Amino acid sequence: NLEGKARDAGLPPIAISPEVGNLLSLLVKTTDARCIVEVGTLGGYSTTWLARSMQPNGMTFTIDKSKKFAQFARTQLQEAGLSDRVEIRVGEALTELPKLCQELGPASVDVVFLDAMKREYPEYFRVVRDCIKPGGLLLIDNCLGVSNWWIDEEGHPDRDGADQANRLVAADDDFDSCAVPLREGLLIARRKSRHC
């Protein structure tokens, strides 16, 4: 049990729920994903859901600022037989994500999953937006809140970041989006196909 191992290793209990993981898996399968970008690896729980659901020749790139979390995730992904399908990058997301997007190029990513510093969500979206291919998905966890704030409680920097990201995506004419009230909210956005 990955959640139990993460708890025993001293990782914070903030991973996605099994229900959110199952939804992520279903959504990834609808895209025939070969390239996934995740921001916020933690113990690799969501990474496992993502990597198992993509095409066999695909690659999931995941970013976390914590060396401890990254090492724990590497071990778990190896035990799950997924280490050849996941590349973990360690560093601040706003440093690593632009580098990764430059390497991958525009319209190259099938699925983006954001689950890191909520106050940085708007900037993550700005950085990764053009990397998402037409028909690709942007998935944002905690779009409605976390344990210490909720989306209608103004003034918390993480709440404000999540709210701003929600509004940025909703106002972007290149995306169709909705917020699903599962657990603490999952924003699901699909980049429109060019012919639409």
Side-chain angles (χ1 to χ4, degrees):
N1 173 315
L2 181 52
E3 289 177 289
K5 290 179 183 177
R7 187 172 50 251
D8 293 345
L11 274 66
I14 56 173
I16 61 166
S17 68
E19 296 80 12
V20 173
N22 193 49
L23 180 57
L24 290 180
S25 175
L26 177 65
L27 291 167
V28 168
K29 289 174 183 175
T30 67
T31 69
D32 291 326
R34 288 179 173 78
C35 183
I36 297 174
V37 171
E38 175 186 46
V39 180
T41 314
L42 191 61
Y45 188 64
S46 54
T47 317
T48 300
W49 282 101
L50 296 167
R52 281 186 174 155
S53 305
M54 68 181 177
Q55 293 295 306
N57 60 343
M59 181 63 69
T60 295
F61 299 90
T62 184
I63 299 169
D64 204 286
K65 67 180 181 179
S66 168
K67 291 180 182 178
K68 175 183 176 180
F69 297 170
Q71 187 53 52
F72 179 88
R74 277 191 188 97
T75 300
Q76 301 312 309
L77 291 162
Q78 186 170 10
E79 289 179 8
L82 296 170
S83 56
D84 61 330
R85 303 176 70 186
V86 177
E87 181 180 318
I88 300 175
R89 300 198 177 191
V90 180
E92 295 290 339
L94 290 177
T95 300
E96 296 301 318
L97 189 58
K99 289 189 228 175
L100 178 59
C101 288
Q102 187 172 12
E103 289 172 32
L104 297 174
S108 59
V109 179
D110 298 292
V111 178
V112 172
F113 179 53
L114 304 180
D115 189 16
M117 297 290 293
K118 316 313 173 201
R119 65 193 67 191
E120 296 178 355
Y121 275 3
E123 194 58 31
Y124 298 161
F125 174 63
R126 291 184 187 103
V127 170
V128 81
R129 180 192 181 281
D130 291 340
C131 289
I132 302 169
K133 63 175 56 171
L137 297 177
L138 170 69
L139 309 171
I140 304 180
D141 198 32
N142 304 111
C143 72
L144 298 178
V146 296
S147 59
N148 63 343
W149 58 265
W150 203 242
I151 201 66
D152 57 357
E153 298 171 15
E154 295 183 24
H156 191 289
D158 287 329
R159 173 266 169 212
D160 294 347
D163 182 61
Q164 186 182 357
N166 293 342
R167 293 173 189 275
L168 281 171
V169 176
D172 193 315
D173 289 338
D174 286 338
F175 288 85
D176 292 317
S177 62
C178 70
V180 177
L182 178 63
R183 195 171 176 241
E184 294 163 332
L186 182 70
L187 181 76
I188 302 171
R190 180 184 180 274
R191 185 160 202 151
K192 296 175 184 175
S193 299
R194 289 194 174 99
H195 61 272
C196 291

